[in-house]
Amino acid sequence: MQRVAIVGCGFVADLYMRSFAAHPDIEVVSCYDHDAARLAAFSAHWRVTPGADLASVLRAVAGTGLLLNLTNPRAHYEVNTAALEAGCHVFCEKPLALSLDQAERLRALARARGLQLGSAPSSVLGEAAQTLAKALRSPDYGTARLVYAELDDGFIPQAPLEEWTSESGAPWPYVDEFRTGCTLEHAGYYLSWLIAMFGAVTRINAVSAEVLPDKRGVTAAAPDFSVAVLAFEDGPLVRLTCSIAAPHDHRLQVVTDAGVLRLKRAWDNATPVTFYKRIRVRRRLMESPLGKRVRLATAKTHPKLPRKGAAAMNFALGPVEMLAAIGAGRDSRIGGDFALHLTEVTLAIQNAGLEGGAYRPKSRCEKMEPMPWAV
Ligand SMILES: NC(=O)c1ccc[n+]([C@@H]2O[C@H](COP(=O)([O-])OP(=O)(O)OC[C@H]3O[C@@H](n4cnc5c(N)ncnc54)[C@H](O)[C@@H]3O)[C@@H](O)[C@H]2O)c1
């Protein structure tokens, strides 16, 4: 059995527990939340032993296990630091930290202690991301020339947010979401895929702004819209958009010399990747309306989860990959330089402001090794 412990027993922790149910070789040995009522509700619902304090939960997995930091973003740095100092390998929900300086310190601490530090999202290890990456490694679909990646969530402040609760009863934390901002919360869902496929980002031209001035009366809200044009070490230009204002649209479209590779759902590991070949019809040029689904050579990838609420994602994929890496003594795909670079690029987009301007990341990472089943 592989040992995992959870700090932060809120909304997303339930999605992790549901995902771990599809991985019987993983045991959640302990959990902790500084909100005693939340800890009691979560541990009773999932029958996980509640820890008396943070230190005891860290002790439960120090060494060979994995600590999952599922706290709110403003607590990530503090909890990650405590966990690394206690000798734990750490998987942290996004973002790793709220500043580059903090993220660099965490990376240095992990390296100095010989520990792994990885960051969500895990969807880059999922079937849809791996299928798209494989298509782009193959000559069959043409060279990628331009990518449009949309992470527009709809007009979220007008949604019935009070009715969004998790399985064990945690409310969706909209105050925290509005203060953290949709770019820090969501850009990683496609940025991780793009960095995995095209390597490090070399230049960012971004704008971010608050376009909805009143979000349920929440003060000190972060930008609720951003758009970035990104250049990569080995890939095409990408336009990445995040908002909680524009109509829901999570399409990713890769324009190649031969047509368009397209998928529609960022938060569904099994969403089909479809290729629309470019064709000439009399004097017109168009993408064929009849797409052809891109398939891997195997159907054996990872456990899929049914759609629950907004997402059909297996949140355990990242922790499972990290535990495999720890066991094999190799660096995790989603840890180290990859996690630091993803954090730096996300922060640069979020912090761009209305004046924008070019930003060149300090950090870099290699493209991601494909999962063995997607080679
Ligand atoms: N809500 C979602 O749909 C969703 C989806 C994917 C990822 N995430 C990410 O998951 C993380 C958590 O989000 P959430 O929605 O579960 O938030 P949440 O507010 O529902 O839960 C966070 C929990 O962490 C606890 N906590 C905060 N600081 C702590 C500390 N120092 N020590 C112990 N416990 C502490 C809080 O009491 C709370 O119960 C965020 O990074 C978010 O970006 C959220």
Side-chain angles (χ1 to χ4, degrees):
M1 278 303 229
Q2 311 254 41
R3 292 165 66 83
V4 161
I6 290 177
V7 178
C9 304
F11 193 96
V12 87
D14 281 353
L15 302 180
Y16 277 84
M17 290 306 295
R18 186 52 63 206
S19 302
F20 285 133
H23 296 268
D25 51 331
I26 290 190
E27 186 186 0
V28 183
V29 294
S30 185
C31 62
Y32 176 69
D33 197 298
H34 63 187
D35 176 335
R38 181 87 291 272
L39 176 60
F42 179 85
S43 54
H45 183 88
W46 295 106
R47 297 202 175 96
V48 175
T49 310
D53 50 26
L54 178 63
S56 66
V57 173
L58 300 182
R59 268 197 306 277
V61 287
T64 54
L66 187 64
L67 190 280
L68 265 52
N69 180 358
L70 309 183
T71 62
N72 308 95
R74 67 179 175 281
H76 285 181
Y77 176 69
E78 171 200 329
V79 173
N80 286 340
T81 304
L84 291 168
E85 281 176 346
C88 300
H89 299 285
V90 178
F91 172 89
C92 180
E93 250 304 334
K94 67 209 153 38
L96 206 51
L98 290 179
S99 73
L100 175 59
D101 183 47
Q102 288 180 344
E104 284 175 333
R105 267 186 268 156
L106 291 171
R107 169 83 179 111
L109 179 58
R111 192 180 260 159
R113 303 276 167 116
L115 294 165
Q116 303 234 7
L117 171 65
S119 154
S122 299
S123 61
V124 63
L125 306 168
E127 193 172 295
Q130 296 284 321
T131 303
L132 179 64
K134 181 164 184 182
L136 288 169
R137 290 193 300 274
S138 128
D140 299 352
Y141 303 98
T143 302
R145 301 295 180 187
L146 180 66
V147 177
Y148 279 11
E150 329 283 353
L151 289 162
D152 287 309
D153 293 341
F155 206 99
I156 293 294
Q158 288 179 1
L161 305 179
E162 288 77 8
E163 291 170 30
W164 296 2
T165 48
S166 69
E167 250 181 276
S168 71
W172 190 68
Y174 67 85
V175 177
D176 199 53
E177 290 267 339
F178 292 163
R179 288 189 176 147
T180 304
C182 59
T183 304
L184 277 191
E185 290 282 356
H186 295 159
Y189 284 108
Y190 277 147
L191 255 184
S192 56
W193 298 24
L194 296 163
I195 295 170
M197 294 187 296
F198 304 133
V201 174
T202 54
R203 200 178 57 249
I204 302 166
N205 285 281
V207 164
S208 66
E210 195 179 354
V211 297
L212 306 179
D214 180 18
K215 288 185 277 296
R216 302 283 184 111
V218 173
T219 55
D224 44 29
F225 163 74
S226 69
V227 61
V229 176
L230 307 165
F232 290 80
E233 282 185 359
D234 185 21
L237 280 184
V238 172
R239 186 197 71 185
L240 171 69
T241 307
C242 298
S243 88
I244 51 167
H248 189 283
D249 184 355
H250 281 189
R251 270 178 308 170
L252 180 65
Q253 302 190 82
V254 182
V255 180
T256 77
D257 292 334
V260 175
L261 282 158
R262 181 180 297 148
L263 55 89
K264 290 186 182 160
R265 289 190 293 275
W267 298 344
D268 179 349
N269 293 142
T271 197
V273 179
T274 309
F275 182 61
Y276 300 87
K277 197 172 168 354
R278 196 165 298 115
I279 52 171
R280 272 175 60 180
V281 180
R282 297 203 189 97
R283 293 171 62 194
R284 287 184 60 205
L285 181 69
M286 62 198 295
E287 275 77 41
S288 164
L290 299 175
K292 187 167 185 296
R293 183 156 179 186
V294 182
R295 291 189 189 275
L296 293 170
T298 175
K300 285 191 187 151
T301 58
H302 54 76
K304 313 285 187 333
L305 268 79
R307 198 174 172 83
K308 183 95 181 153
M313 278 190 291
N314 184 338
F315 284 81
L317 295 182
V320 166
E321 209 289 315
M322 283 195 76
L323 285 162
I326 293 162
R330 63 168 169 84
D331 288 337
S332 163
R333 288 175 173 81
I334 55 162
D337 294 340
F338 185 85
L340 177 62
H341 188 63
L342 177 63
T343 307
E344 181 179 12
V345 175
T346 308
L347 285 166
I349 300 172
Q350 163 110 346
N351 296 336
L354 264 182
E355 295 297 323
Y359 179 91
R360 289 179 190 276
K362 282 165 67 183
S363 61
R364 69 170 297 279
C365 65
E366 300 297 331
K367 289 182 194 175
M368 187 181 282
E369 279 292 311
M371 294 300 280
W373 41 262
V375 173

